[in-house]
Amino acid sequence: MPSALIGKPAPEIALAPLDGLLRDGRPVPGLEPAMLRAGKVTILNVFASWCAPCRVEHPFLVEMANAEAVRAGRVQLVGLNYKDEPENARRFLGALGNPFGAVGTDRGGRSAIEWGVYGVPESFLIGKDGTILKKHIGQLTQESARALLAEAAAAAR
């Protein structure tokens, strides 16, 4: 399905962090609109602990997080936790690994509506200036995750 948001600015929505989520011993921040137009290309993944396809695609997100473009800071990988209980989301990321540099929570699902989310999982490619470049609906496969990361790395150049 095409997205009406392609070519438009990412929604100006601040999302609170997932309480108690740590990465390298430090709290993981929530999502702020400014971080999506701060000169880095962003891959935003919409996920939930109760989502079976999210569990299947998660290893590919962890692989993305270890890619050179992400490690070098040219591409950032962030999460939008959709309609989830905080404890379940923390347990999900604790068990499978946290690939995200930031995780915003959308417990009621209102922010996802602004993003045009049909369901989980979905992923967005956002340019350095905060413009939505691409939307991937559904579960990432290893092939589609690598293609999305390659597009992100190219946009970061």
Side-chain angles (χ1 to χ4, degrees):
M1 275 185 220
S3 172
L5 296 178
I6 303 300
K8 297 200 170 120
E12 289 282 325
I13 302 168
L15 293 172
L18 180 57
D19 287 335
L21 182 62
L22 301 175
R23 186 173 183 184
D24 300 326
R26 295 189 305 262
V28 174
L31 292 176
E32 294 294 331
M35 75 178 17
L36 300 179
R37 57 179 185 275
K40 292 183 182 182
V41 173
T42 303
I43 296 172
L44 181 139
N45 178 258
V46 183
F47 75 99
S49 65
W50 47 263
C51 162
C54 296
R55 188 169 292 274
V56 173
E57 80 172 2
H58 201 79
F60 308 128
L61 294 167
V62 171
E63 184 179 309
M64 277 181 169
N66 291 311
E68 193 273 329
V70 176
R71 286 192 331 268
R74 294 188 308 277
V75 175
Q76 62 183 346
L77 183 58
V78 300
L80 189 158
N81 184 233
Y82 177 72
K83 290 187 176 182
D84 214 344
E85 293 297 323
E87 179 59 33
N88 294 341
R90 278 192 307 276
R91 195 173 15 247
F92 176 86
L93 294 172
L96 301 178
N98 178 17
F100 306 119
V103 177
T105 58
D106 185 16
R107 286 186 73 184
R110 297 290 308 156
S111 296
I113 292 169
E114 296 296 320
W115 279 92
V117 171
Y118 298 107
V120 288
E122 291 187 11
S123 298
F124 294 84
L125 177 60
I126 304 160
K128 294 178 188 181
D129 64 352
T131 300
I132 297 174
L133 303 175
K134 182 176 186 169
K135 178 179 180 179
H136 179 90
I137 297 172
Q139 171 185 319
L140 291 168
T141 63
Q142 187 170 43
E143 182 179 307
S144 63
R146 287 181 178 169
L148 185 61
L149 182 59
E151 287 181 64
R157 289 189 197 106

